[in-house]
Amino acid sequence: MVGLYPGTFDPITFGHIDIVMRASRIFSKIVVVIADNPNKKNLFSIEERLDFAKECLKDYPNVEVIKHKGLVIDAVEITQASAIIRGLRALSDFEYEFQMAFTNRQLNDKIDTVFLMTSARYTNLSSSMVKQLSQFGGNVDKYVSPIVAEALKKKFE
Ligand code: ADP
């Protein structure tokens, strides 16, 4: 069974990787889909986000990383995935995730969204938090892999 894990991944953090690790024990294959949305102001380009995710997930044999422009549900159909995977941290994620899951269900009722809870140590971790921390010279080694930490440092130099 293929699970599709969509997101912005700007940049990929240990929280995202934790979800992939958990999902890879449930699904036979995970497709990580990096949203290529030119309207969203991201720090890293689509190619950079793709490279980071590929590098960070290279040790998982059943994980593939792709980029995708357009609706998540289209990526589900292209990859023949059975479910969408999303991570949940705190209650604050719920409202948005609930809306997204219902919207996707309206587009294709056969596809369900599966929510996986992150490890306790990553409940306060987000890409935005990592970017802010790095921007002000904070150490992000606990939250992202060395290639991402290095790239963040360069961006804010
Ligand atoms: P999006 O813009 O689609 O929300 P993100 O890259 O911010 O993209 O997040 C992708 C998914 O990963 C979302 O389901 C989000 O809740 C989840 N996620 C982000 N950070 C964490 C974390 N620290 N632990 C668990 N899940 C996370």
Side-chain angles (χ1 to χ4, degrees):
M1 205 166 56
V2 180
L4 187 132
Y5 181 30
T8 310
F9 303 99
D10 184 42
I12 188 166
T13 68
F14 289 156
H16 294 124
I17 297 169
D18 184 70
I19 297 296
V20 172
M21 182 271 291
R22 289 172 192 286
S24 72
R25 298 193 298 224
I26 302 170
F27 293 89
S28 52
K29 184 179 168 186
I30 313 292
V31 183
V32 175
V33 177
I34 320 261
D36 183 2
N37 180 357
N39 299 327
K40 207 165 166 181
K41 259 202 114 220
N42 293 314
L43 178 66
F44 292 106
S45 71
I46 180 68
E47 296 306 331
E48 287 172 312
R49 286 179 284 137
L50 189 73
D51 285 350
F52 297 152
K54 279 189 175 164
E55 176 62 27
C56 293
L57 299 168
K58 65 176 193 288
D59 294 333
Y60 293 88
N62 61 340
V63 177
E64 190 189 337
V65 184
I66 62 168
K67 61 180 172 178
H68 175 74
K69 216 178 229 167
L71 295 175
V72 164
I73 213 75
D74 292 340
V76 171
E77 283 156 17
I78 293 166
T79 56
Q80 297 192 316
S82 320
I84 296 169
I85 301 158
R86 296 284 288 179
L88 277 184
R89 285 161 290 192
L91 199 59
S92 50
D93 278 338
F94 184 76
E95 188 87 34
Y96 174 71
E97 293 294 341
F98 188 78
Q99 272 180 18
M100 287 267 295
F102 267 106
T103 305
N104 285 324
R105 182 177 279 177
Q106 272 167 9
L107 296 171
N108 184 340
D109 192 36
K110 291 197 191 87
I111 303 300
D112 271 297
T113 304
V114 173
F115 294 101
L116 295 175
M117 275 174 60
T118 187
S119 300
R121 64 182 184 282
Y122 299 137
T123 49
N124 295 314
L125 173 56
S126 65
S127 299
S128 325
M129 186 271 260
V130 164
K131 285 182 275 191
Q132 271 181 34
L133 194 59
S134 184
Q135 185 171 8
F136 297 112
N139 187 313
V140 293
D141 294 352
K142 272 199 303 208
Y143 309 119
V144 294
S145 73
I147 56 150
V148 175
E150 197 50 43
L152 280 163
K153 228 186 208 169
K154 276 211 183 107
K155 277 274 180 203
F156 292 121
E157 242 165 29

mmCIF file of all heavy atoms in Angstrom, residues 5-9 15-16 19 40 86-89 93 96-97 118 122 125, ligand 1:
data_model
loop_
_atom_site.group_PDB
_atom_site.id
_atom_site.type_symbol
_atom_site.label_atom_id
_atom_site.label_comp_id
_atom_site.label_asym_id
_atom_site.label_seq_id
_atom_site.Cartn_x
_atom_site.Cartn_y
_atom_site.Cartn_z
ATOM 1 N N TYR A 5 2.849 11.487 1.302
ATOM 2 C CA TYR A 5 3.060 12.481 2.371
ATOM 3 C C TYR A 5 3.369 13.839 1.728
ATOM 4 O O TYR A 5 4.493 14.092 1.326
ATOM 5 C CB TYR A 5 4.208 12.001 3.269
ATOM 6 C CG TYR A 5 4.533 12.902 4.442
ATOM 7 C CD1 TYR A 5 3.573 13.683 5.072
ATOM 8 C CD2 TYR A 5 5.833 12.959 4.952
ATOM 9 C CE1 TYR A 5 3.884 14.489 6.154
ATOM 10 C CE2 TYR A 5 6.157 13.753 6.045
ATOM 11 C CZ TYR A 5 5.175 14.524 6.628
ATOM 12 O OH TYR A 5 5.486 15.324 7.701
ATOM 13 N N PRO A 6 2.351 14.699 1.617
ATOM 14 C CA PRO A 6 2.571 15.986 0.960
ATOM 15 C C PRO A 6 2.915 17.101 1.956
ATOM 16 O O PRO A 6 2.515 17.048 3.114
ATOM 17 C CB PRO A 6 1.191 16.269 0.343
ATOM 18 C CG PRO A 6 0.234 15.666 1.319
ATOM 19 C CD PRO A 6 0.933 14.507 1.993
ATOM 20 N N GLY A 7 3.634 18.092 1.477
ATOM 21 C CA GLY A 7 3.935 19.235 2.337
ATOM 22 C C GLY A 7 4.822 20.229 1.623
ATOM 23 O O GLY A 7 5.228 20.017 0.474
ATOM 24 N N THR A 8 5.121 21.296 2.338
ATOM 25 C CA THR A 8 5.979 22.340 1.768
ATOM 26 C C THR A 8 7.450 22.000 2.009
ATOM 27 O O THR A 8 8.310 22.262 1.166
ATOM 28 C CB THR A 8 5.620 23.705 2.415
ATOM 29 O OG1 THR A 8 4.204 23.880 2.349
ATOM 30 C CG2 THR A 8 6.285 24.842 1.700
ATOM 31 N N PHE A 9 7.731 21.443 3.168
ATOM 32 C CA PHE A 9 9.093 21.013 3.526
ATOM 33 C C PHE A 9 10.118 22.127 3.277
ATOM 34 O O PHE A 9 11.082 21.929 2.550
ATOM 35 C CB PHE A 9 9.474 19.722 2.784
ATOM 36 C CG PHE A 9 8.532 18.577 3.033
ATOM 37 C CD1 PHE A 9 7.535 18.253 2.115
ATOM 38 C CD2 PHE A 9 8.620 17.835 4.201
ATOM 39 C CE1 PHE A 9 6.643 17.203 2.353
ATOM 40 C CE2 PHE A 9 7.736 16.774 4.450
ATOM 41 C CZ PHE A 9 6.753 16.457 3.524
ATOM 42 N N GLY A 15 11.157 16.515 12.494
ATOM 43 C CA GLY A 15 9.739 16.226 12.731
ATOM 44 C C GLY A 15 9.126 15.545 11.516
ATOM 45 O O GLY A 15 8.410 14.546 11.637
ATOM 46 N N HIS A 16 9.414 16.070 10.331
ATOM 47 C CA HIS A 16 8.937 15.450 9.083
ATOM 48 C C HIS A 16 9.513 14.027 8.959
ATOM 49 O O HIS A 16 8.804 13.090 8.601
ATOM 50 C CB HIS A 16 9.401 16.249 7.860
ATOM 51 C CG HIS A 16 8.816 17.627 7.730
ATOM 52 N ND1 HIS A 16 9.587 18.755 7.627
ATOM 53 C CD2 HIS A 16 7.525 18.050 7.650
ATOM 54 C CE1 HIS A 16 8.805 19.818 7.481
ATOM 55 N NE2 HIS A 16 7.544 19.421 7.506
ATOM 56 N N ILE A 19 7.824 11.454 11.012
ATOM 57 C CA ILE A 19 6.553 11.005 10.426
ATOM 58 C C ILE A 19 6.819 9.992 9.300
ATOM 59 O O ILE A 19 6.158 8.957 9.212
ATOM 60 C CB ILE A 19 5.711 12.211 9.910
ATOM 61 C CG1 ILE A 19 5.308 13.140 11.065
ATOM 62 C CG2 ILE A 19 4.483 11.746 9.111
ATOM 63 C CD1 ILE A 19 4.381 12.516 12.108
ATOM 64 N N LYS A 40 3.440 30.693 -3.036
ATOM 65 C CA LYS A 40 3.833 30.685 -1.634
ATOM 66 C C LYS A 40 5.278 31.157 -1.512
ATOM 67 O O LYS A 40 6.147 30.702 -2.267
ATOM 68 C CB LYS A 40 3.687 29.261 -1.074
ATOM 69 C CG LYS A 40 3.423 29.255 0.409
ATOM 70 C CD LYS A 40 2.921 27.902 0.879
ATOM 71 C CE LYS A 40 3.005 27.828 2.394
ATOM 72 N NZ LYS A 40 2.554 26.540 2.904
ATOM 73 N N ARG A 86 -0.469 12.770 6.993
ATOM 74 C CA ARG A 86 -0.140 14.084 7.542
ATOM 75 C C ARG A 86 0.315 13.902 8.978
ATOM 76 O O ARG A 86 -0.090 12.942 9.655
ATOM 77 C CB ARG A 86 -1.345 15.028 7.484
ATOM 78 C CG ARG A 86 -1.806 15.361 6.078
ATOM 79 C CD ARG A 86 -0.926 16.347 5.357
ATOM 80 N NE ARG A 86 -1.064 17.695 5.898
ATOM 81 C CZ ARG A 86 -0.373 18.745 5.438
ATOM 82 N NH1 ARG A 86 0.511 18.595 4.463
ATOM 83 N NH2 ARG A 86 -0.550 19.933 5.969
ATOM 84 N N GLY A 87 1.142 14.813 9.437
ATOM 85 C CA GLY A 87 1.628 14.735 10.813
ATOM 86 C C GLY A 87 0.810 15.638 11.713
ATOM 87 O O GLY A 87 0.350 16.696 11.285
ATOM 88 N N LEU A 88 0.623 15.211 12.937
ATOM 89 C CA LEU A 88 -0.069 16.053 13.915
ATOM 90 C C LEU A 88 0.861 16.321 15.090
ATOM 91 O O LEU A 88 1.476 15.407 15.629
ATOM 92 C CB LEU A 88 -1.323 15.361 14.440
ATOM 93 C CG LEU A 88 -2.607 15.444 13.622
ATOM 94 C CD1 LEU A 88 -3.726 14.769 14.392
ATOM 95 C CD2 LEU A 88 -2.986 16.874 13.277
ATOM 96 N N ARG A 89 0.929 17.586 15.448
ATOM 97 C CA ARG A 89 1.757 17.950 16.604
ATOM 98 C C ARG A 89 0.862 18.271 17.787
ATOM 99 O O ARG A 89 0.746 17.518 18.718
ATOM 100 C CB ARG A 89 2.637 19.165 16.273
ATOM 101 C CG ARG A 89 3.797 18.839 15.385
ATOM 102 C CD ARG A 89 4.348 20.049 14.713
ATOM 103 N NE ARG A 89 3.404 20.539 13.726
ATOM 104 C CZ ARG A 89 3.680 21.455 12.817
ATOM 105 N NH1 ARG A 89 4.867 22.007 12.796
ATOM 106 N NH2 ARG A 89 2.786 21.833 11.945
ATOM 107 N N ASP A 93 -2.848 22.132 15.186
ATOM 108 C CA ASP A 93 -2.769 21.619 13.804
ATOM 109 C C ASP A 93 -4.133 21.115 13.334
ATOM 110 O O ASP A 93 -4.386 21.015 12.144
ATOM 111 C CB ASP A 93 -1.821 20.400 13.725
ATOM 112 C CG ASP A 93 -0.362 20.794 13.634
ATOM 113 O OD1 ASP A 93 -0.087 21.934 13.224
ATOM 114 O OD2 ASP A 93 0.492 19.949 13.962
ATOM 115 N N TYR A 96 -6.864 23.103 10.771
ATOM 116 C CA TYR A 96 -6.390 23.210 9.394
ATOM 117 C C TYR A 96 -6.362 21.836 8.718
ATOM 118 O O TYR A 96 -6.842 21.669 7.590
ATOM 119 C CB TYR A 96 -4.994 23.852 9.415
ATOM 120 C CG TYR A 96 -4.299 23.899 8.087
ATOM 121 C CD1 TYR A 96 -4.729 24.764 7.081
ATOM 122 C CD2 TYR A 96 -3.197 23.079 7.826
ATOM 123 C CE1 TYR A 96 -4.077 24.806 5.857
ATOM 124 C CE2 TYR A 96 -2.553 23.120 6.602
ATOM 125 C CZ TYR A 96 -2.998 23.977 5.620
ATOM 126 O OH TYR A 96 -2.359 24.010 4.403
ATOM 127 N N GLU A 97 -5.846 20.858 9.437
ATOM 128 C CA GLU A 97 -5.734 19.510 8.871
ATOM 129 C C GLU A 97 -7.119 18.905 8.593
ATOM 130 O O GLU A 97 -7.318 18.213 7.596
ATOM 131 C CB GLU A 97 -4.938 18.596 9.816
ATOM 132 C CG GLU A 97 -3.471 18.984 9.962
ATOM 133 C CD GLU A 97 -2.675 18.818 8.661
ATOM 134 O OE1 GLU A 97 -3.115 18.099 7.751
ATOM 135 O OE2 GLU A 97 -1.603 19.439 8.556
ATOM 136 N N THR A 118 3.490 12.877 16.048
ATOM 137 C CA THR A 118 4.933 13.005 16.098
ATOM 138 C C THR A 118 5.486 12.571 17.466
ATOM 139 O O THR A 118 4.740 12.460 18.432
ATOM 140 C CB THR A 118 5.317 14.469 15.814
ATOM 141 O OG1 THR A 118 6.709 14.574 15.703
ATOM 142 C CG2 THR A 118 4.839 15.404 16.891
ATOM 143 N N TYR A 122 9.340 16.433 19.241
ATOM 144 C CA TYR A 122 9.185 17.277 18.045
ATOM 145 C C TYR A 122 7.853 18.022 18.006
ATOM 146 O O TYR A 122 7.500 18.594 16.985
ATOM 147 C CB TYR A 122 9.325 16.428 16.772
ATOM 148 C CG TYR A 122 10.666 15.749 16.649
ATOM 149 C CD1 TYR A 122 10.758 14.423 16.241
ATOM 150 C CD2 TYR A 122 11.844 16.441 16.934
ATOM 151 C CE1 TYR A 122 11.991 13.788 16.125
ATOM 152 C CE2 TYR A 122 13.077 15.809 16.829
ATOM 153 C CZ TYR A 122 13.137 14.489 16.430
ATOM 154 O OH TYR A 122 14.352 13.877 16.322
ATOM 155 N N LEU A 125 8.222 21.604 17.048
ATOM 156 C CA LEU A 125 9.137 21.844 15.925
ATOM 157 C C LEU A 125 8.374 22.101 14.623
ATOM 158 O O LEU A 125 7.477 21.355 14.258
ATOM 159 C CB LEU A 125 10.046 20.611 15.771
ATOM 160 C CG LEU A 125 10.974 20.528 14.575
ATOM 161 C CD1 LEU A 125 11.879 21.747 14.492
ATOM 162 C CD2 LEU A 125 11.824 19.264 14.668
HETATM 163 P P1 ADP B 1 2.249 22.318 4.780
HETATM 164 O O1 ADP B 1 2.510 23.680 4.228
HETATM 165 O O2 ADP B 1 1.538 21.413 3.806
HETATM 166 O O3 ADP B 1 1.604 22.288 6.146
HETATM 167 P P2 ADP B 1 4.700 21.452 6.097
HETATM 168 O O4 ADP B 1 6.004 21.115 5.468
HETATM 169 O O5 ADP B 1 4.674 22.582 7.061
HETATM 170 O O6 ADP B 1 3.695 21.655 4.899
HETATM 171 O O7 ADP B 1 4.120 20.181 6.859
HETATM 172 C C1 ADP B 1 3.853 18.972 6.181
HETATM 173 C C2 ADP B 1 3.232 17.992 7.153
HETATM 174 O O8 ADP B 1 4.180 17.638 8.161
HETATM 175 C C3 ADP B 1 2.014 18.526 7.911
HETATM 176 O O9 ADP B 1 1.093 17.467 8.092
HETATM 177 C C4 ADP B 1 2.582 18.954 9.236
HETATM 178 O O10 ADP B 1 1.610 18.902 10.264
HETATM 179 C C5 ADP B 1 3.640 17.894 9.434
HETATM 180 N N1 ADP B 1 4.705 18.347 10.325
HETATM 181 C C6 ADP B 1 5.452 19.451 10.277
HETATM 182 N N2 ADP B 1 6.320 19.527 11.309
HETATM 183 C C7 ADP B 1 6.096 18.414 12.050
HETATM 184 C C8 ADP B 1 6.624 17.895 13.272
HETATM 185 N N3 ADP B 1 7.540 18.555 13.978
HETATM 186 N N4 ADP B 1 6.143 16.732 13.710
HETATM 187 C C9 ADP B 1 5.179 16.086 13.017
HETATM 188 N N5 ADP B 1 4.618 16.509 11.892
HETATM 189 C C10 ADP B 1 5.070 17.660 11.413
#
